[in-house]
Amino acid sequence: DAGVIQSPRHEVTEMGQEVTLRCKPISGHDYLFWYRQTMMRGLELLIYFNNNVPIDDSGMPEDRFSAKMPNASFSTLKIQPSEPRDSAVYFCASSFGGSPGEQYFGPGTRLTVT
Amino acid sequence: QQQVKQSPQSLIVQKGGISIINCAYENTAFDYFPWYQQFPGKGPALLIAIRPDVSEKKEGRFTISFNKSAKQFSLHIMDSQPGDSATYFCAATPGGGGNKLTFGTGTQLKVEL
């Protein structure tokens, strides 16, 4: 398996622009997680899905952030409008319900908002 | 109650030495405790994990020690190597918790020659 795939790997955008991050989980995994990592706040869980349904979005910082999972093999995290404080590395991870705690992370998307 | 407290924040160890990272939790519903290793520019990767029914688990040079009564667990890296230099995260998840992990704040380990 190719592992969790994220795109783009790097994104530089101007404040106010819309940003869309993409994730393809490992085939057969029924959980998908979006995290944000910064030096100041560490690794933060933003939202997670089970069988394509959002379960907990309490970590989404504000209404500018939204996430969707239209099918088992694709998810997006959208920021609209983006702000400089959104600059971070965003990770997608997936796991299988039968193996709680074993999450497989993608390589991340480094977002820079100027 | 959902927090996992991790220390130290950073650690420098000489090659061949033992690296020790500690974590503590409050939520007694936690029943699976993994450690993740993250190299610069990469995503975290599962390193080793333990359930509370055992007090120790060893995989190669990596050992988890678990103290259920104290609600503490630690990662020991024996014979530390420069290639072990990375950030280490402890984590915990409750049984039936929907696979959601609560992560510690991370420890930056540097192993010097």
Side-chain angles (χ1 to χ4, degrees):
Chain A
D1 201 315
V4 175
I5 299 172
Q6 289 187 249
S7 64
R9 292 295 312 276
H10 302 273
E11 177 80 40
V12 180
T13 190
E14 292 184 348
M15 182 175 63
Q17 295 299 305
E18 177 180 295
V19 175
T20 300
L21 311 182
R22 297 172 176 80
C23 175
K24 176 179 170 56
I26 292 173
S27 176
H29 283 186
D30 51 351
Y31 283 86
L32 184 138
F33 304 82
W34 282 101
Y35 291 89
R36 178 171 69 176
Q37 187 173 40
T38 60
M39 289 295 292
M40 290 296 293
R41 301 177 67 90
L43 195 60
E44 302 174 273
L45 176 65
L46 301 177
I47 185 172
Y48 78 97
F49 297 82
N50 178 218
N51 292 322
N52 314 335
V53 176
I55 302 300
D56 183 352
D57 65 354
S58 60
M60 296 286 261
E62 47 197 278
D63 292 345
R64 297 184 297 106
F65 286 69
S66 62
K68 293 181 179 179
M69 191 165 186
N71 57 62
S73 58
F74 184 66
S75 177
T76 60
L77 178 68
K78 185 177 294 186
I79 308 172
Q80 165 64 15
S82 57
E83 296 183 3
R85 60 192 167 123
D86 301 330
S87 297
V89 180
Y90 291 81
F91 289 104
C92 173
S94 70
S95 70
F96 172 58
S99 300
E102 296 182 14
Q103 294 185 11
Y104 294 82
F105 283 74
T109 295
R110 180 173 294 278
L111 174 64
T112 302
V113 183
T114 61
Chain B
Q1 193 180 21
Q2 287 294 322
Q3 284 185 327
V4 176
K5 296 182 179 180
Q6 182 172 347
S7 63
Q9 185 174 355
S10 62
L11 181 61
I12 299 175
V13 174
Q14 296 300 308
K15 180 183 175 182
I18 302 174
S19 304
I20 302 174
I21 304 170
N22 301 299
C23 286
Y25 64 98
E26 290 294 327
N27 188 349
T28 55
F30 287 149
D31 74 347
Y32 187 77
F33 301 86
W35 285 87
Y36 283 76
Q37 179 188 53
Q38 184 180 26
F39 292 105
K42 306 290 186 182
L46 179 64
L47 180 65
I48 186 173
I50 196 169
R51 292 195 181 278
D53 53 347
V54 297
S55 61
E56 186 175 281
K57 183 173 182 180
K58 184 177 181 179
E59 290 184 3
R61 296 183 294 107
F62 299 89
T63 299
I64 301 178
S65 296
F66 189 85
N67 186 329
K68 187 174 182 179
S69 61
K71 290 183 283 190
Q72 295 176 348
F73 58 111
S74 59
L75 176 69
H76 296 234
I77 306 174
M78 312 300 288
D79 187 27
S80 299
Q81 299 297 312
D84 297 330
S85 298
T87 300
Y88 293 81
F89 294 91
C90 61
T93 187
N99 285 31
K100 177 180 176 180
L101 281 170
T102 298
F103 280 94
T105 49
T107 296
Q108 259 190 322
L109 170 66
K110 182 177 182 181
V111 181
E112 294 184 334
L113 292 170

